[in-house]
Amino acid sequence: MENKQEQAYQVYQNPNGPAIGTAGAKIIEQDGLYFKDLAGAGQLLPYEDWRLPVEARAKDLAARLSVEEIAGLMLYSPHQMVPAGPHGPFPGTYGGKALAESGAPHWELTDQQRQFVEKDHVRHVLATVMENPQVAARWSNRLQSFAESLPWGIPVNISSDPRHGSSQAGAEYKSGAGDVSKWPEGLGMAATFSPETCRAFGDAVSKECRALGITTALFPQVDVATEPRWMRLEDTFGPHPQLVTDFGKAYCDSLQTTQGAPDGWGKDSLCGMAKHWPGGGPCEGGRDAHYPFGKFAVYPGDNLSDHLKPFLEGVFKLDGPTGAASAIMPYYTVSWGVDQKDGKNVGNSYSRYIIHDLLREKYGYDGIVCTDWGITADPEPEVDSFSSRCYGVEDLTEAQRHLLAIENGVDQFGGNSAIAPILEAYQIGCQRHGEAAMRARMEQSAVRLLKNIFRCGLFENPYLDPAESARVAGCEEFCRAGYEAQLKSVVMVKNQGALPQRDRKKVYIPTRHIGPMQSFFRSSLPAQDIDPAATELVEKYYDRVSTPQEADFALVFMESPLSDGYSKEDREAGGNGYVPISLQYRPYTAQAARPESIAGGDFREAFTNRGYQGKTGFAANEGDLDLLLDTKAAMGQKPVIAVLRMHKPTVPAEFEQSADGILIDFGVQAQAIFDLVSGRAEPSGLLPVQMPANMETVERHCEDVPFDMEPYTDAAGHCYDFGFGMDWSGPIQDERTKRYTK
């Protein structure tokens, strides 16, 4: 039972069967067993009978639902904050008031949540920030209790984007801190070269997410990251098709599998939504499809097969009993030239060839297909905007876009909480295909969506014990495993006697400066100065000094060049707006770029050539290079160690000779760096990417082909290629470097 200030729920334990949790639904006792009377019919309906196969239960319930109720299943809620504030991008009110004024507990449902669950029949809710595990569990219980009180009693499937990455965590490793465990980002996980570590990661993620009430993961991201300039590369497992396949399979399998369950599904299962079909990696020139200026994926190397591999041989063929990822998300991109049937270059969810012919028919995928977020709304007039992703179907109405996706085999619309366009799409579909056929198509999606809710046991017992949630989320076991994985993810590529610095010494750590740039949401960010390491943490290892002259060694924190692929200034000066994305710090002029873009065409542009040959790109953090060069000059013969936070491959030629030691960090807590620098841990990571010799080799490579660049070689003869890494003894050669080769 929850305490009296919250909605109470009762649990009934079946002998050799699932526990039944109810906050209001009556209990049916039959054959000595307990069932929930969710429909209030006073008799056991097939969908309420946990003894039946999930498929049969889902089909029974889908047949009972109205078109409006099915449309609600196909929606995703806006991002939910627990609790919600009165302002910001995702506000909420409580009884018409802000939280502080209302007196409501932090786990209370907002007015908006009650509205979309009851009136719009939404049962898929995207949760972002949660105050702590206990609040999350109580909010989840509130939400499930409310849903249970509504017709059919369909539970809510709460989902989440990745929340275990360490790059946004506090500087120090902490256990039992009331948060989830922190692990390397995707590229850092790949740097361990260990699918076994990734499997342990998935196990921790599933158990901690279920403790928060989350039952669907909007991951793993299994794009083969063949384009080194892509801003989402750090979230992937890198460009090696087999490594990505193995990691994606291990991760998804561990997310979904409840040990001991006959079919693998149960109380620890987290439904995986693998993304992004058919692969978002080969974006032209590195530009990302969140923005209309980056909407094209290209295949100059005719290498679609490598990008399909993590799906066809990975998440579609899991080793465990759940069999395949329960959901797939196509990317925003227009996969240029891939449609061999109709020749249409449209966004992937709108491509009948890519969704229906390939995914559904040729490869037989029968799980949920959910669009990426925000593809159905009308486009914005500005090509440089964080919106407007109805690529290639801008001339259709919003309802027609929904119908096209549904006809292709799409089941759900990410980021769309408006029921009206789906209902209008249904009416248009009835006129086009007949009511019986359209109803059958909608039920097909309903069955797929309901199966995931049944699989996780939510129809039987969606309720959580807040104290148990607090015990599981952020527990010592998972936090320690995550931190150990962070240590394993850091790659040392150079060491000329600079590492480790074992004794307590004086260290100089300069402040970074980043110039003005545009944010992920395309807003303008002002210049900023950043202290890369908290003095409180540094002082646990060394004495921090303020000048190079006082120091025994220097630690210079850097970041991959921050460069953009579009410039309004260029456009306003008469250009096409497209500029190079640079992987070097100094200004770079793209003489070797292709003169004509492969893809092009947009209703906002009077040209099709998006090329940028001869134009110059700039890095907002060029000061990082100056920081290292100036520190080296000031330190003289004293050791200088560079720590490069590498979001994407970086050209080392500008800075390698000015560093006596180089650590590559793909997103870890700062404490991990100090544990390695001080010798409390030894580097063991391996490069999951190539570090290019120059930008010319980047420009000449094919966006869809892995490992076709010339890698950088340093003065010691070490080639910064895929699989290279050093420990205190020198270059690493072990079973991992034999397992994954180019």
Side-chain angles (χ1 to χ4, degrees):
M1 286 279 202
E2 293 189 87
N3 64 44
K4 292 182 179 179
Q5 66 175 330
E6 303 172 48
Q7 175 67 48
Y9 65 90
Q10 182 70 45
V11 176
Y12 298 81
Q13 184 60 59
N14 278 298
N16 301 317
I20 305 298
T22 173
K26 294 182 179 179
I27 294 295
I28 295 174
E29 293 187 51
Q30 186 170 309
D31 303 325
L33 302 171
Y34 298 110
F35 305 87
K36 289 169 79 169
D37 185 10
L38 293 168
Q43 59 178 326
L44 185 62
L45 301 180
Y47 87 90
E48 300 165 333
D49 190 344
W50 48 262
R51 298 169 298 184
L52 296 178
V54 162
E55 181 89 16
R57 298 178 71 186
K59 286 182 176 179
D60 175 72
L61 179 53
R64 299 174 188 275
L65 300 179
S66 67
V67 170
E68 289 78 9
E69 289 164 335
I70 292 176
L73 285 175
M74 300 172 79
L75 299 174
Y76 244 108
S77 83
H79 295 63
Q80 300 301 302
M81 313 282 281
V82 184
H87 306 293
F90 311 113
T93 57
Y94 301 81
K97 300 178 180 179
L99 178 66
E101 299 171 5
S102 71
H106 285 200
W107 53 86
E108 184 56 88
L109 302 184
T110 65
D111 302 329
Q112 294 74 20
Q113 290 160 1
R114 292 181 179 275
Q115 171 73 22
F116 64 62
V117 171
E118 181 175 12
K119 303 299 183 183
D120 297 323
H121 312 292
V122 170
R123 291 299 183 274
H124 293 82
V125 172
L126 176 55
T128 54
V129 176
M130 293 173 159
E131 186 174 279
N132 59 52
Q134 286 188 314
V135 167
R138 288 169 172 151
W139 173 76
S140 175
N141 286 350
R142 273 277 210 271
L143 192 59
Q144 300 296 3
S145 174
F146 183 58
E148 185 181 277
S149 72
L150 300 174
W152 312 116
I154 301 173
V156 175
N157 187 339
I158 301 172
S159 66
S160 173
D161 284 312
R163 55 195 319 117
H164 285 73
S166 54
S167 63
Q168 300 301 317
E172 295 185 66
Y173 157 73
K174 296 179 181 179
S175 65
D179 197 0
V180 294
S181 56
K182 299 302 178 184
W183 297 69
E185 305 295 341
L187 201 57
M189 186 63 69
T192 70
F193 273 48
S194 170
E196 296 78 15
T197 300
C198 195
R199 180 174 292 277
F201 176 37
D203 185 59
V205 169
S206 64
K207 288 184 172 62
E208 290 185 304
C209 280
R210 288 304 301 262
L212 300 176
I214 296 165
T215 44
T216 288
L218 302 183
F219 48 88
Q221 187 172 335
V222 294
D223 305 282
V224 178
T226 48
E227 171 47 58
R229 294 163 289 188
W230 188 28
M231 74 176 191
R232 300 198 70 181
L233 187 145
E234 70 172 333
D235 301 319
T236 75
F237 295 128
H240 192 290
Q242 189 61 55
L243 185 149
V244 177
T245 298
D246 293 349
F247 274 57
K249 176 184 283 193
Y251 192 25
C252 197
D253 197 14
S254 58
L255 287 177
Q256 294 190 165
T257 301
T258 295
Q259 296 299 326
D263 63 354
W265 292 103
K267 64 181 180 61
D268 294 331
S269 296
L270 187 64
C271 298
M273 185 181 290
K275 56 190 185 183
H276 302 87
W277 176 266
C283 44
E284 186 167 23
R287 298 182 295 269
D288 182 70
H290 274 87
Y291 320 108
F293 64 74
K295 66 184 178 181
F296 296 114
V298 295
Y299 297 85
D302 194 23
N303 190 36
L304 176 63
S305 60
D306 270 353
H307 296 270
L308 296 182
K309 185 181 177 74
F311 294 96
L312 305 185
E313 300 177 24
V315 298
F316 289 0
K317 292 184 178 179
L318 302 180
D319 294 331
T322 63
S326 63
I328 293 295
M329 181 188 292
Y331 204 35
Y332 299 119
T333 45
V334 174
S335 297
W336 189 266
V338 167
D339 183 350
Q340 300 296 309
K341 182 179 179 182
D342 302 315
K344 292 185 177 180
N345 288 309
V346 294
N348 291 322
S349 290
Y350 295 119
S351 170
R352 184 165 181 81
Y353 178 78
I354 288 172
I355 303 300
H356 177 271
D357 294 4
L358 288 185
L359 182 59
R360 292 298 194 193
E361 295 295 324
K362 182 174 182 178
Y363 300 121
Y365 182 73
D366 193 39
I368 295 167
V369 174
C370 176
T371 73
D372 211 329
W373 259 234
I375 74 162
T376 55
D378 290 334
E380 297 287 340
E382 174 58 64
V383 73
D384 182 7
S385 60
F386 186 78
S387 59
S388 313
R389 303 184 190 107
C390 55
Y391 302 143
V393 293
E394 292 90 350
D395 57 332
L396 300 182
T397 67
E398 196 168 354
Q400 289 170 335
R401 293 179 200 128
H402 280 83
L403 179 59
L404 175 57
I406 292 169
E407 288 173 332
N408 291 343
V410 168
D411 304 299
Q412 198 167 34
F413 297 90
N416 179 13
S417 57
I419 199 170
I422 297 181
L423 296 179
E424 186 180 347
Y426 176 78
Q427 293 301 325
I428 299 171
C430 288
Q431 297 170 11
R432 183 179 299 176
H433 306 292
E435 186 173 358
M438 196 61 197
R439 168 75 199 199
R441 173 64 193 88
M442 296 283 278
E443 278 193 33
Q444 184 182 41
S445 286
V447 169
R448 290 172 179 148
L449 292 159
L450 288 168
K451 280 168 66 175
N452 274 8
I453 305 177
F454 279 111
R455 284 166 164 168
C456 294
L458 295 180
F459 274 88
E460 279 60 67
N461 183 20
Y463 300 106
L464 301 168
D465 176 350
E468 178 66 10
S469 293
R471 187 193 68 79
V472 172
C475 69
E476 170 66 26
E477 176 189 356
F478 295 149
C479 286
R480 172 54 61 183
Y483 187 71
E484 292 294 334
Q486 290 183 51
L487 292 172
K488 294 176 183 177
S489 73
V490 177
V491 182
M492 184 169 68
V493 295
K494 182 176 183 179
N495 187 18
Q496 293 185 330
L499 290 157
Q501 295 286 331
R502 296 188 187 276
D503 301 326
R504 188 168 186 92
K505 297 177 180 178
K506 296 178 181 178
V507 62
Y508 171 64
I509 304 174
T511 299
R512 295 180 61 217
H513 176 79
I514 300 177
M517 57 182 292
Q518 287 192 288
S519 73
F520 176 74
F521 295 104
R522 303 305 287 171
S523 61
S524 296
L525 296 176
Q528 56 181 317
D529 292 317
I530 299 173
D531 183 354
T535 298
E536 180 182 358
L537 174 62
V538 178
E539 293 288 344
K540 293 182 179 180
Y541 298 82
Y542 305 108
D543 296 322
R544 188 172 190 176
V545 296
S546 57
T547 67
Q549 290 73 25
E550 301 171 79
D552 297 312
F553 75 101
L555 201 56
V556 180
F557 288 84
M558 307 169 65
E559 187 175 5
S560 298
L562 300 171
S563 179
D564 202 343
Y566 192 84
S567 168
K568 289 183 182 179
E569 291 76 14
D570 176 83
R571 186 182 68 192
E572 292 167 355
N576 63 3
Y578 294 87
V579 294
I581 296 175
S582 181
L583 302 181
Q584 68 180 42
Y585 294 97
R586 295 297 188 220
Y588 154 70
T589 301
Q591 301 295 355
R594 61 174 67 103
E596 296 278 336
S597 66
I598 294 172
D602 189 279
F603 74 96
R604 289 156 289 209
E605 297 176 336
F607 54 86
T608 57
N609 182 15
R610 293 185 166 200
Y612 51 80
Q613 188 183 63
K615 292 185 181 180
T616 301
F618 302 88
N621 60 329
E622 183 182 355
D624 279 354
L625 177 60
D626 294 320
L627 208 61
L628 179 63
L629 300 182
D630 293 346
T631 299
K632 180 61 177 177
M635 291 291 289
Q637 298 302 310
K638 293 183 289 188
V640 175
I641 301 166
V643 180
L644 174 62
R645 169 69 171 94
M646 203 161 81
H647 305 282
K648 47 192 174 183
T650 301
V651 176
E654 296 174 306
F655 64 87
E656 176 267 319
Q657 293 185 22
S658 296
D660 302 296
I662 302 175
L663 294 174
I664 307 294
D665 150 30
F666 299 103
V668 298
Q669 293 167 279
Q671 182 178 341
I673 298 300
F674 283 97
D675 277 348
L676 289 162
V677 170
S678 65
R680 299 184 191 185
E682 184 172 11
S684 63
L686 303 168
L687 282 176
V689 294
Q690 292 180 310
M691 296 184 72
N694 47 55
M695 279 303 299
E696 286 69 29
T697 189
V698 174
E699 294 289 5
R700 292 190 175 100
H701 101 106
C702 296
E703 284 92 336
D704 59 325
V705 176
F707 309 129
D708 63 341
M709 298 184 297
E710 176 192 353
Y712 178 80
T713 300
D714 67 15
H718 294 143
C719 184
Y720 295 3
D721 204 350
F722 173 84
F724 175 70
M726 302 175 69
D727 57 22
W728 303 143
S729 301
I732 297 170
Q733 295 290 332
D734 57 20
E735 71 282 353
R736 296 174 302 156
T737 58
K738 297 175 183 176
R739 180 191 293 188
Y740 296 113
T741 59
K742 288 198 302 178

